[in-house]
Amino acid sequence: MNDYGIVLAVFGAVLAALLAGIGSAKGVGLVGEAVAGVVTEDPSKFSKLLILQLLPGTQGLYGLLTAVLAMSQLGVLSGTPATLTLVQGFQYFIACMPIAFVGYFSAIMQAKTAVAAVGIVAKRPDQSGKAISLPAMVETYAILALLISILAINALK
Amino acid sequence: MKETTYAYAVGRIRANELSLLTMLDIDQLISADSYRSAITILEEKGWLEHEAHEDLDRSFKAQELKMWHLLQEISPDTSVFDSLLVRNDFHNIKASLKSFVSAQLMGTNIHEEDHFLLPCTIDPNKIHQAIITRNYDDLPAFVSSAILATYEVLIRTADGQLADIMLDAKTMEEMKLRAAQSKSTFIEDVVEILCVSANIKIALRAAKTGKDKLFLETALISMKSLKKDSLIEATLKGNDELIHYLISTPFSGAVEAMKTSSSAFEKWCDDFLMAKLTKAKYVSLAVDPLIAYYIAKTTEIKNIRILLSCKHNHVASESIKERMRKLYV
């Protein structure tokens, strides 16, 4: 029964990387399609649009960061996994969930906002600063979720 | 189809919207001192190719085809345009049938291919061949049934107007059907406006010429915002009653234009549709901007056609301005 604690904790870490990563992959792909459409007609806008495409990619990094932190604390990376009770494992699992879920959904919502912003850059490239700030607002909630996950994992030391 | 599949297409359309003419461009064209100057402005903007003015009709058709090829290239599913393209199919049926029947009855020879409209969902030459050979097996059911019914009327009565209204009613029914199949509320709304406008135009003409109930039953169709029975009832009572009825519908804004002239009413219909289309400017992941671009480009071509025709006939700038449709950008 003691083995289940570490399994549950690692499962949480994996979900953080997995869900946030899937969200980012979907998001970056979606914005990439919209960017490709504009660049086909006007290649000069590529650099401004690339920033928009990169924005939903950060959630994947946040998920990865959380997973590495949790697994490092659990001794998984050093090859000496800690022995955890089921309750302790569940605590790690729960600690990883904010960035897992918020990462997934915020990446997709950010991508949709970025696609709309691609339209702004396509038609009014002089307004690209404003266009970038709109999807950047969604990032706030991914950062908040990352913060909570990191604080919660640290608190379990 | 998932709306996210339109990301690439909408991106390309947004970039292409920059090449649409604006009202400023139209004003510049209106104030051009001659037809030749207007042509030069269009050539400088890259809207017309050099020497294209020698055959403007061909240039306009080429513009429409260029736009259609772009939409075909980028659309994940081109069937979403069917509700708009079937209008051209029915026009081609009309042109083909009339030329065939004229040749049969009067021995006149019309070059029907000059009157075909593109883009469309069915190759017009295929329609024409089917009419000549009377073999409709290769045509979709909606086309063959329309041809058979209209041919019957033309041969029996030689009444071109009756044939026209029958085909127009079938066009609207098919547009409604295709719009419903698209599962896009935007397309349904666009088709609703197009069909209601067409219904009102028919009713207006019928009220002025005192057409009977049978004519109206054949020519009009029922729409969400305009019930056929009520429209027929009002039309039969005359022009004033028709206007009175329209005031109680979402098309009350058309009444003033209707009182002015039929061309003013047609302009009002185009502007009303354009007001609906502008909503697509703020949509990023749906078919709406593609549909809006299609109509925006055809409206632009219509404006240039009217404008050049007016310039050619030395119409005053103010009169040209009154005829210009609202633009998308």
Side-chain angles (χ1 to χ4, degrees):
Chain A
M1 197 67 179
N2 280 349
D3 292 344
Y4 291 146
I6 187 73
V7 169
L8 199 55
V10 171
F11 183 53
V14 168
L15 275 186
L18 196 71
L19 289 180
I22 291 171
S24 278
K26 280 186 169 189
V28 172
L30 183 64
V31 186
E33 281 184 45
V35 170
V38 178
V39 172
T40 306
E41 300 291 336
D42 185 0
S44 69
K45 294 191 176 113
F46 176 72
S47 54
K48 282 177 180 166
L49 293 169
L50 187 66
I51 302 166
L52 287 169
Q53 194 194 358
L54 292 175
L55 282 173
T58 51
Q59 283 83 346
L61 294 175
Y62 300 160
L64 176 78
L65 182 70
T66 307
V68 169
L69 183 73
M71 288 200 289
S72 158
Q73 205 165 296
L74 291 166
V76 176
L77 297 180
S78 59
T80 50
T83 307
L84 300 178
T85 64
L86 203 57
V87 172
Q88 286 172 318
F90 193 63
Q91 284 173 334
Y92 271 98
F93 180 83
I94 291 295
C96 293
M97 288 306 102
I99 192 57
F101 282 97
V102 178
Y104 177 81
F105 289 109
S106 69
I108 291 169
M109 292 315 292
Q110 192 172 38
K112 287 184 177 177
T113 319
V115 168
V118 167
I120 299 177
V121 178
K123 295 184 86 170
R124 305 191 64 178
D126 54 317
Q127 302 295 323
S128 62
K130 288 173 189 165
I132 291 165
S133 66
L134 298 175
M137 300 300 280
V138 185
E139 192 76 15
T140 314
Y141 302 96
I143 293 170
L144 292 179
L146 172 70
L147 195 65
I148 288 298
S149 284
I150 289 176
L151 288 175
I153 290 167
N154 275 334
L156 294 172
K157 254 183 191 173
Chain B
M1 183 166 291
K2 276 176 72 180
E3 289 188 331
T4 48
T5 51
Y6 285 99
Y8 172 78
V10 174
R12 264 187 92 171
I13 284 299
R14 292 289 179 239
N16 271 284
E17 280 172 8
L18 291 173
S19 60
L20 289 173
L21 295 178
T22 63
M23 279 322 281
L24 274 176
D25 298 320
I26 296 290
D27 286 343
Q28 192 189 355
L29 286 163
I30 292 172
S31 35
D33 50 19
S34 66
Y35 170 77
R36 186 59 232 171
S37 315
I39 291 281
T40 309
I41 293 171
L42 284 172
E43 284 174 348
E44 281 168 3
K45 288 186 184 300
W47 203 93
L48 269 183
E49 283 176 22
H50 287 283
E51 309 304 325
H53 63 275
E54 285 169 10
D55 189 351
L56 276 176
D57 204 45
R58 188 184 287 267
S59 299
F60 293 142
K61 283 183 177 176
Q63 284 268 355
E64 280 194 61
L65 278 182
K66 190 178 162 195
M67 171 261 297
W68 176 238
H69 289 146
L70 168 73
L71 291 171
Q72 265 185 318
E73 187 190 333
I74 63 176
S75 297
D77 173 18
T78 51
S79 71
V80 292
F81 295 98
D82 285 359
S83 56
L84 301 172
L85 299 186
V86 287
R87 285 191 298 179
N88 289 351
D89 285 323
F90 278 95
H91 170 91
N92 295 339
I93 293 172
K94 215 183 271 185
S96 205
L97 264 177
K98 282 185 178 174
S99 79
F100 179 68
V101 173
S102 307
Q104 275 201 326
L105 297 179
M106 290 170 276
T108 51
N109 197 9
I110 299 168
H111 294 287
E112 65 291 329
E113 62 272 16
D114 293 341
H115 302 283
F116 286 153
L117 290 182
L118 296 171
C120 51
T121 66
I122 302 152
D123 178 5
N125 293 315
K126 200 171 153 185
I127 292 175
H128 192 62
Q129 274 309 309
I131 289 171
I132 291 170
T133 58
R134 297 193 195 175
N135 179 1
Y136 311 114
D137 294 347
D138 291 341
L139 296 177
F142 80 93
V143 175
S144 54
S145 65
I147 293 172
L148 284 169
T150 317
Y151 182 73
E152 182 90 3
V153 166
L154 280 173
I155 290 296
R156 273 195 190 170
T157 65
D159 186 345
Q161 193 191 29
L162 183 59
D164 274 352
I165 61 156
M166 277 177 63
L167 277 178
D168 290 344
K170 282 183 185 292
T171 308
M172 290 189 279
E173 290 289 3
E174 195 62 29
M175 285 169 75
K176 256 175 71 178
L177 179 73
R178 302 293 179 107
Q181 285 170 349
S182 73
K183 294 188 174 72
S184 156
T185 48
F186 183 77
I187 295 176
E188 285 188 75
D189 289 348
V190 165
V191 167
E192 174 81 10
I193 293 173
L194 288 170
C195 292
V196 166
S197 306
N199 266 335
I200 298 175
K201 273 177 220 168
I202 296 167
L204 200 59
R205 250 178 280 152
K208 279 179 183 165
T209 52
K211 294 286 180 191
D212 61 13
K213 192 173 182 180
L214 185 67
F215 176 92
L216 293 170
E217 290 278 4
T218 315
L220 302 175
I221 67 160
S222 207
M223 303 298 300
K224 263 190 262 173
S225 48
L226 209 64
K227 296 292 166 229
K228 185 177 175 177
D229 292 343
S230 314
L231 187 61
I232 290 176
E233 200 182 320
T235 309
L236 287 172
K237 286 179 186 165
N239 206 31
D240 291 343
E241 191 60 33
L242 175 64
I243 287 175
H244 184 72
Y245 165 67
L246 288 174
I247 290 172
S248 64
T249 70
F251 295 84
S252 54
V255 169
E256 278 310 308
M258 282 165 72
K259 286 177 184 168
T260 311
S261 67
S262 58
S263 61
F265 173 65
E266 283 191 19
K267 177 179 155 30
W268 183 89
C269 293
D270 288 342
D271 291 348
F272 188 70
L273 177 63
M274 198 51 78
K276 174 79 196 168
L277 294 182
T278 48
K279 289 179 185 166
K281 281 188 196 173
Y282 315 109
V283 175
S284 311
L285 292 168
V287 68
D288 309 13
L290 277 70
I291 299 288
Y293 182 77
Y294 175 87
I295 299 173
K297 189 70 191 175
T298 47
T299 307
E300 178 184 280
I301 295 168
K302 187 191 269 185
N303 263 351
I304 297 296
R305 200 186 280 270
I306 296 170
L307 194 146
L308 290 180
S309 168
C310 287
K311 281 280 167 199
H312 199 254
N313 293 299
H314 308 289
V315 176
S317 296
E318 275 310 306
S319 302
I320 303 176
K321 214 165 198 172
E322 280 169 16
R323 291 174 207 189
M324 290 295 103
R325 272 67 176 156
K326 278 185 188 158
L327 293 174
Y328 182 59
V329 287

